[in-house]
Amino acid sequence: AIERYPMYCSKSVKADAYFGAGMYDDALECYRKRLSKSDSIDNYSIYCDIGKCLDALCRFDEAMDAYNEAIAIISRYYERRRVRYEEYKRRNSRFVGDYLDENRDIWTSEVYRKMALTCMHRARHFIDDSDKHYSDAIRYAGNAIKLDYANANGWNIKAIILEDMGKFEDSKRFYDISLEMERDDTVIENKAGMLKRWCNLLRMNVDLDKALKLICEAIEELSTIPGRDLSEYEEIKRCVENQIKCERQNDFLKSIGRKNLITIAGTQFYGVSEFERGVMLRLLREPDNAHDSDAVAVYLGGEKVGYVANSQKTACELTSKASDLDIPDGAFAEYLLNYYESYHIARIIGEVKK
């Protein structure tokens, strides 16, 4: 637009276009040219834009100076209004009322929100001193909320900062407050992203029940956005559910004990993909087996369905190998489960000598 229609592009349009294109130095120059020489209240929003550019350029101190100048402009503007109001009251003695600066807190709150985000960006940039900068970010976000309590975005920004700090419980609480005030798709996305990140962290710490609860809540929130693709979150949910299933299987197998368990290997060579839980399998030794003198064949009814695993590669670590056990001919095993969708596990019925 700037290149094709330069005569129609105001300084404001140019500045916003440059910023949107990531050309922050050019945007900064345009914003500065927009500043009025008089102490106009309009300069407050321009200084906010200047701070936004400086923040994007990682010139954080200069950005904070610009935001502080915006607050100073607001203060001077309302001080002038107060003086004019007092003069009006003096000349019109019948007029009764208090001076109300309706927008002052709202405008100042907007600047504080921008300052909070700049402090958060600074914390990300300067990892070594991040605690201090995050503390500043929280303080400015708190100031914004105090001045404009009903502004949902103030609570959203504080939630973002707390999430960045890894304080997920507090972050969730502030996202919920923001969404109670106003259902906004951006805040919903922010909250869902935080819940996903928290869920993945809990998965590494094996707090799987809570992880499942969080990802389900994220899916529930995102389902309120029409047409939102939930496949990524649904996949995480399936993974967590599988982890829970495997953890429970793991605990169950450990309670039985390794010496009583076997892995059934080679089922694919006999056309068997699954077994019914609780089915009884017969175990027969094959001492003349050309490949393995410790081989123990597994039969379902009168049909061979595999062998007792006898190598580290084929046997689950929670079970014994065929060479570890003295299995008498005619012994039976009860099929238990398919562990991690990879190992067919059965429990030996009867006494087996090690």
Side-chain angles (χ1 to χ4, degrees):
I2 292 168
E3 290 174 359
R4 295 184 65 182
Y5 307 105
M7 68 292 292
Y8 299 118
C9 284
S10 67
K11 292 177 183 177
S12 174
V13 171
K14 284 183 179 179
D16 293 341
Y18 280 134
F19 186 87
M23 302 167 67
Y24 303 124
D25 286 311
D26 294 315
L28 183 59
E29 182 181 354
C30 285
Y31 283 130
R32 282 176 170 160
K33 287 180 179 179
R34 287 181 56 203
L35 288 171
S36 170
K37 292 181 180 180
S38 63
D39 197 15
S40 168
I41 187 60
D42 293 335
N43 282 347
Y44 119 81
S45 62
I46 299 173
Y47 270 109
C48 285
D49 289 332
I50 289 172
K52 176 179 67 176
C53 284
L54 291 166
D55 184 6
L57 291 166
C58 297
R59 293 159 61 178
F60 303 115
D61 288 333
E62 294 175 73
M64 295 300 282
D65 288 342
Y67 292 134
N68 280 317
E69 181 58 32
I71 291 175
I73 290 169
I74 295 169
S75 298
R76 291 195 296 269
Y77 171 74
Y78 277 102
E79 179 58 24
R80 291 194 297 271
R81 284 192 61 181
R82 187 190 65 77
V83 170
R84 288 197 296 269
Y85 178 79
E86 293 297 335
E87 178 64 18
Y88 179 81
K89 281 180 63 176
R90 186 180 65 78
R91 293 179 181 180
N92 299 272
S93 58
R94 289 184 300 171
F95 180 84
V96 179
D98 294 321
Y99 172 73
L100 299 176
D101 47 358
E102 304 89 353
N103 294 319
R104 179 175 187 166
D105 287 349
I106 294 175
W107 289 352
T108 306
S109 173
E110 179 187 352
V111 181
Y112 278 139
R113 289 195 293 272
K114 295 178 185 297
M115 294 171 85
L117 289 174
T118 291
C119 289
M120 184 185 75
H121 298 156
R122 175 183 272 178
R124 291 175 177 175
H125 194 76
F126 298 107
I127 303 299
D128 294 341
D129 203 14
S130 62
D131 289 345
K132 174 185 179 300
H133 300 314
Y134 277 126
S135 296
D136 290 340
I138 288 293
R139 176 164 54 84
Y140 284 122
N143 290 344
I145 289 171
K146 287 177 184 177
L147 291 173
D148 192 10
Y149 188 87
N151 189 303
N153 192 37
W155 299 93
N156 172 52
I157 287 173
K158 190 163 184 179
I160 291 170
I161 295 166
L162 289 165
E163 177 189 350
D164 222 49
M165 297 171 70
K167 297 183 177 182
F168 298 111
E169 289 280 6
D170 293 330
S171 176
K172 181 180 181 301
R173 180 162 56 89
F174 284 105
Y175 277 130
D176 287 339
I177 293 172
S178 178
L179 290 170
E180 284 174 13
M181 292 182 173
E182 180 184 348
R183 294 293 296 181
D184 181 88
D185 288 354
T186 299
V187 181
I188 291 171
E189 291 280 1
N190 289 345
K191 180 185 175 183
M194 179 276 294
L195 292 172
K196 178 178 71 172
R197 180 182 170 195
W198 191 5
C199 166
N200 287 330
L201 183 64
L202 291 174
R203 287 174 64 190
M204 289 189 291
N205 295 328
V206 202
D207 189 351
L208 299 175
D209 289 331
K210 187 170 184 178
L212 181 60
K213 182 179 178 182
L214 292 173
I215 202 64
C216 287
E217 184 176 352
I219 291 170
E220 183 180 354
E221 290 283 11
L222 290 173
S223 64
T224 63
I225 301 177
R228 177 61 163 84
D229 182 10
L230 301 176
S231 57
E232 178 187 1
Y233 288 80
E234 293 284 5
E235 178 60 28
I236 293 174
K237 180 185 174 184
R238 283 191 291 272
C239 289
V240 176
E241 288 173 336
N242 284 336
Q243 279 184 269
I244 291 173
K245 176 184 175 182
C246 291
E247 285 296 319
R248 289 174 179 167
Q249 288 180 340
N250 191 63
D251 292 340
F252 172 63
L253 295 178
K254 283 183 176 179
S255 70
I256 295 173
R258 183 173 180 272
K259 67 178 182 179
N260 298 311
L261 297 172
I262 56 172
T263 302
I264 304 168
T267 56
Q268 68 273 21
F269 300 113
Y270 297 92
V272 179
S273 59
E274 60 183 39
F275 295 95
E276 192 174 321
R277 182 163 185 172
V279 70
M280 300 304 293
L281 303 165
R282 191 178 182 192
L283 308 178
L284 289 177
R285 283 195 162 277
E286 292 185 353
D288 298 328
N289 188 296
H291 301 287
D292 183 2
S293 59
D294 292 317
V296 178
V298 179
Y299 288 81
L300 176 58
E303 185 178 353
K304 185 186 289 187
V305 291
Y307 282 86
V308 175
N310 198 30
S311 70
Q312 192 171 0
K313 183 178 179 180
T314 58
C316 171
E317 62 180 8
L318 296 176
T319 67
S320 296
K321 299 192 290 290
S323 57
D324 295 332
L325 302 171
D326 183 11
I327 301 175
D329 280 339
F332 283 87
E334 176 192 9
Y335 182 77
L336 298 178
L337 49 87
N338 189 352
Y339 184 61
Y340 272 89
E341 306 297 328
S342 301
Y343 300 102
H344 290 295
I345 309 296
R347 171 169 51 191
I348 300 170
I349 303 300
E351 182 179 354
V352 177
K353 299 178 181 179
K354 287 205 79 172

